Amino acid sequence: AVVSTQSTGVMQMNAKMGGELWSVHIPMKKVMYVGIDTYHDSGSSRSVGGVVASMNDSCTRYYSKTTWQPSKQELISQLDVVMTDILRQYKEKNGCLPERILIFRDGVGDGQLLAVKEQELKNIKDAISRQSQDKSIELVFTVVTKRIQQRFFLKQGPRLNNPPPGTIVDSTVTRDELFDFFLVPQGVGQGTVTPTHYNVLEFSTTLKPDHLQQIAYKLCFMYYNWTGAIRVPAICQYAHKLAFLVGQSLHRDPSPDLADLLYYL
C-alpha cells in the first residue's frame, strides 16, 4: 500500500510537470478534443468556467483557460474569446488548425440543452469561423451527464449482471428527437454500475456515431490521476479539476505560464 501511494504521488508529480504517462491509440490526425465545465463558489459572487483542450494527436499535451461569469450561472458567456485563444495555441504548436474539433461539455442539466446550443455552441462556431476563414473544420459538441437514473443489466441465464465496460446503449431507451447514447465506462466490484449519458447537440462531421462512441470510451482512460477508466472523458475531468481549483482556492485567473501544464491535477 505504501509503495502504491508513493508511485501514485510520483506519477502525479510527473504529470503536473508536463510528463506524458500513457496514451491511447485513436487513428485520427489533426483532431482537437475540448473539455468544458463550470464551478460555483458558494462564497463568491462569481462562477468559474474551465476549458481544457488537447494540443497533440496522442492526447497527452493540453492547454487550459478559465473564464468568469455571474454567480450560479452555468452557461459560459465568453467561449468565443476562449476558443479563439485555444485555436491560436493549437496552430502555433502544430503549424495548422485542427481538421476536427470534438467538444465534451460537462455540468449541464437536460433543461439547459437548448440554452447551451443557442449560446455556447453559437459562440464556439463564431470563433471557429473567424479563425478558419475558408477552411472547413468539422465540429462535434456533446453534453456529458453523470447524474442520471437509468441503469442497465446484462441477462445471463437466470441472473442479471452488470454490462461489461465499453457497453453502448443507443436505441430503444434513447430519445427520438435527439442524438444521444449511454456508455458504461467502468466495471464495479459490487453494486450496480452507473452509465454516463451523452447528448450530441452538433454532429457536423464525416465521422460515424460509432466512431464518436469509441472515442468517448477511449478518452475515459486518459486521466492521469487514475490508471483505469473514469466515468467521463478525461478532458472533462481535467476541466472540472481546473474550474474547482480556481474557484475554490485561487479566486483569480492562474498564471498564463502554467497553461500548458496539468498543474490542477
Side-chain angles (χ1 to χ4, degrees):
V2 174
V3 173
S4 175
T5 304
Q6 289 174 342
S7 63
T8 303
V10 170
M11 285 168 63
Q12 191 181 61
M13 289 164 59
N14 190 338
K16 286 186 176 190
M17 292 189 292
E20 302 177 19
L21 303 188
W22 61 78
S23 66
V24 292
H25 176 61
I26 299 176
M28 288 194 305
K29 304 297 182 189
K30 298 181 181 177
V31 184
M32 183 169 74
Y33 304 97
V34 182
I36 304 172
D37 200 2
T38 48
Y39 174 76
H40 310 294
D41 185 0
S42 56
S44 170
S45 60
R46 298 188 299 171
S47 294
V48 60
V51 184
V52 178
S54 64
M55 290 286 121
N56 62 356
D57 290 332
S58 56
C59 218
T60 57
R61 311 293 298 178
Y62 299 93
Y63 180 79
S64 60
K65 287 280 288 183
T66 51
T67 180
W68 299 88
Q69 54 266 1
S71 180
K72 304 295 184 241
Q73 180 179 312
E74 193 63 59
L75 300 184
I76 298 175
S77 52
Q78 293 181 312
L79 266 182
D80 50 343
V81 177
V82 173
M83 200 69 196
T84 299
D85 185 38
I86 286 172
L87 286 168
R88 284 176 182 155
Q89 288 293 325
Y90 187 96
K91 187 174 183 179
E92 188 179 301
K93 290 174 169 59
N94 295 278
C96 63
L97 289 171
E99 294 177 356
R100 293 187 178 101
I101 301 175
L102 276 67
I103 300 174
F104 295 93
R105 173 67 158 101
D106 203 352
V108 174
D110 277 3
Q112 295 172 301
L113 292 180
L114 184 60
V116 167
K117 190 171 186 175
E118 290 178 348
Q119 181 177 320
E120 292 188 354
L121 183 53
K122 180 183 180 299
N123 288 348
I124 288 169
K125 284 180 173 179
D126 289 346
I128 292 172
S129 64
R130 279 199 303 270
Q131 290 299 305
S132 62
Q133 295 170 350
D134 297 334
K135 182 185 175 186
S136 175
I137 296 179
E138 297 182 11
L139 176 64
V140 178
F141 188 99
T142 308
V143 173
V144 184
T145 311
K146 300 188 294 288
R147 297 187 185 92
I148 59 173
Q149 305 299 320
Q150 290 88 343
R151 300 292 184 271
F152 301 110
F153 301 92
L154 179 64
K155 197 172 191 320
Q156 295 179 311
R159 295 173 58 86
L160 289 175
N161 294 321
N162 283 316
T167 297
I168 297 285
V169 179
D170 59 2
S171 62
T172 309
V173 295
T174 51
R175 301 167 179 169
D176 293 335
E177 72 278 10
L178 289 174
F179 171 16
D180 67 323
F181 62 91
F182 296 90
L183 165 64
V184 178
Q186 304 166 300
V188 293
Q190 57 184 11
T192 306
V193 69
T194 304
T196 303
H197 191 205
Y198 292 77
N199 273 300
V200 184
L201 302 186
E202 180 78 20
F203 198 66
S204 305
T205 177
T206 54
L207 295 175
K208 294 182 171 63
D210 284 1
H211 296 148
L212 174 62
Q213 293 162 357
Q214 291 169 16
I215 289 166
Y217 180 49
K218 285 189 173 186
L219 291 179
C220 291
F221 288 87
M222 281 305 298
Y223 185 55
Y224 286 156
N225 259 358
W226 184 252
T227 51
I230 60 172
R231 286 190 59 197
V232 297
I235 199 93
C236 276
Q237 190 64 16
Y238 289 141
H240 169 76
K241 293 285 281 187
L242 171 65
F244 181 80
L245 175 69
V246 173
Q248 178 83 6
S249 303
L250 297 182
H251 307 294
R252 58 182 173 83
D253 284 327
S255 166
D257 296 337
L258 297 173
D260 291 325
L261 300 173
L262 294 171
Y263 62 90
Y264 37 84
L265 271 188

